[in-house]
Amino acid sequence: MRPVLRSGADWVACAPPEDQTAFLNSLDNGALLALPFLFEFWAMPHQLPPEYDWRAWVVMGGRGAGKTRAGAEWVRSEVEGPRPLDPGRSRRVALVGETLDQVREVMVFGDSGLLACSPPDRRPRWEATRHRLIWPNGAIAQTFSAHDPERLRGPQFDAAWADELAKWKKAEQTWDMLQFGLRLGPSPRQCITTTPRNLGILRSILANPTTVVTHAQTEANRANLAASFLEAVRARYSGTRLGRQELDGILLEESEGALWSLATLEGARIDNAPALDRIVVAVDPPVSGHAGSDECGLVVAGAVTKGPPQNWGAVVLEDASLSGVAPTVWAQAAIDAMERHGADRLVAEVNQGGDLVETVIRQLDPLIPFRALHASRGKAARAEPVAALYEQGRVKHLRGLDALEDQMCRLTARGYDAPGSPDRVDALVWAIHELMIAPAAHWRRPRVRSL
């Protein structure tokens, strides 16, 4: 297989030694000296801004994905002209970070900061007393802290670089003040480099039609990261929501009033399931089976059910949900999941498909232990008692349930706060109901002795 070449540097690295030598020999001394500072040659795709018009460019990625370098090089491209003393597109830049120390140590003096990225004849001069950089062509970059948004009241800019916006303590106030200051030139622009967090201001920026986004995982920059670091963080955080946020650079959203919080789900995660007394596979089948239909929710869970209900606990073992498949496909997937986990029973909601659901399943396995479930309340109402069990710490999750957990954080008492239907969550609710809620109700039901 031919390797995927993502930059000129990739081409040089993958070329035969004779081609590498020929390429380097073809460069004169000036070109050789300039090559380390020609970022377009070395950059990864997510580090280069899209070519079409935009007002805000968000570089969203995991830790160490090269976001700082992307921001510094973008500022260079804005302020530098063809020659060292020629003007660039922008002449007044705001550099905004969490604190002034962070701006100075990361954005200005850091290994991927502005000073390290600039060639000697274009390197800006740092004026510590005035907290600013001055380029040989007269361009100026002022530094600001997100702890003090009022300092942005007054200055004006034609470009801005905002680093790690998701960490800002006063993110919304600082962002608003920055927008009022971006009023110079025909089309002021800004670059935002950040690891994502579920902040309203970040969601608002991403939803703006004038915003463009590039995205990368930490491992996209593995050539510049210690192998031991990658191995350690993947071993510790792979399959966790924190890993998806901090390593994969994925924005994890939690709707206001969600029945499950990010913190609850993070605290519910375990590496291995205990010995389980009972295991079920729960299915929330779609109405139809084509590419545009809802997902088929398919969740496997088990429970410890020895003793009184207050000692019971459940573990969600697998989310095997499917999209756009025929009934026989999801039915076979459910049977396969039963065999894979040694499940005791298959349960499925039959409100939509009626007898057809059981008929399809029994066509594949006539002897399968199956229970049809009828929903008398809406999805959110059914989910509330299950969410209560999570709050009590009585339901745990194995790793790798990302899509299910995303749906859980969007289901509120008012309904599902996202497009489509929360079919994965519905299957989960049926599984926990079958394992813990229904048996507990039966266990507590008073027994009437006959006379």
Side-chain angles (χ1 to χ4, degrees), residues 156-175:
Q156 52 187 355
F157 316 99
D158 47 16
W161 172 22
D163 188 48
E164 292 297 354
L165 178 144
K167 290 174 58 183
W168 294 0
K169 300 299 183 185
K170 300 179 179 179
E172 190 161 353
Q173 301 97 309
T174 304
W175 181 258

Side-chain angles (χ1 to χ4, degrees), residues 238-241 260-262 264-274 299-302 313-319 386-387 389-390 393-409 424-425 428-429 431-432:
S238 179
T240 70
R241 295 182 68 80
W260 288 272
S261 69
L262 297 172
T264 296
L265 294 179
E266 198 65 43
R269 188 165 292 105
I270 58 176
D271 291 321
N272 298 290
V299 169
V300 185
V315 180
V316 183
L317 303 171
E318 183 183 359
D319 173 16
V386 175
L389 293 175
Y390 277 82
R394 296 173 63 189
V395 184
K396 302 297 182 181
H397 279 199
L398 294 186
R399 297 174 185 266
L401 304 174
D402 302 337
L404 169 62
E405 291 175 351
D406 287 344
Q407 283 194 359
M408 295 170 74
C409 289
R424 296 170 188 261
V425 181
L428 165 75
V429 168
I432 302 303

